[in-house]
Amino acid sequence: MRTRRPWQTAGDVFRSLQSRLPADAANAPDTWDRFAAALTHDTGVDPMTITPDSPLLDEGSSWRGLGNLSRMMGVLLIASAAIIVLLVLALR
């Protein structure tokens, strides 16, 4: 059995998403761009600045004072929203 590790980067979430999408949607050339746009939609971050190595949480941001549980909940909320948006777009 494979050991799971927590999502730490945008690439971690993206690979998880790709594993759940139909192959044609997972491998489409615009899937990363759509994912980055969904991930940054409410943050004000330019989606063009997001790379697979981008951390989900920036220690220099307002997230710094939150505990680990709060951070994980925030990450799960953001990732879930991004996955739902992409699934809806893929199933259209």
Side-chain angles (χ1 to χ4, degrees):
M1 176 178 259
R2 196 176 92 174
T3 303
R4 295 180 190 229
R5 65 181 186 96
W7 291 331
Q8 296 179 357
T9 66
D12 294 336
V13 179
F14 184 68
R15 284 184 293 281
S16 182
L17 171 65
Q18 281 183 304
S19 73
R20 298 293 182 186
L21 288 174
D24 59 328
N27 298 318
D30 67 333
T31 301
W32 172 263
D33 294 334
R34 292 168 58 189
F35 168 78
L39 189 64
T40 61
H41 177 70
D42 291 329
T43 66
V45 173
D46 180 358
M48 298 302 292
T49 64
I50 302 297
T51 68
D53 294 328
S54 296
L56 290 176
L57 299 175
D58 181 2
E59 289 298 321
S61 74
S62 61
W63 294 73
R64 173 173 276 194
L66 300 177
N68 287 337
L69 180 59
S70 295
R71 286 181 183 176
M72 183 53 70
M73 294 303 290
V75 168
L76 290 175
L77 178 65
I78 292 168
S80 296
I83 289 169
I84 289 169
V85 167
L86 285 173
L87 285 174
V88 167
L89 293 172
L91 296 174
R92 274 206 249 168

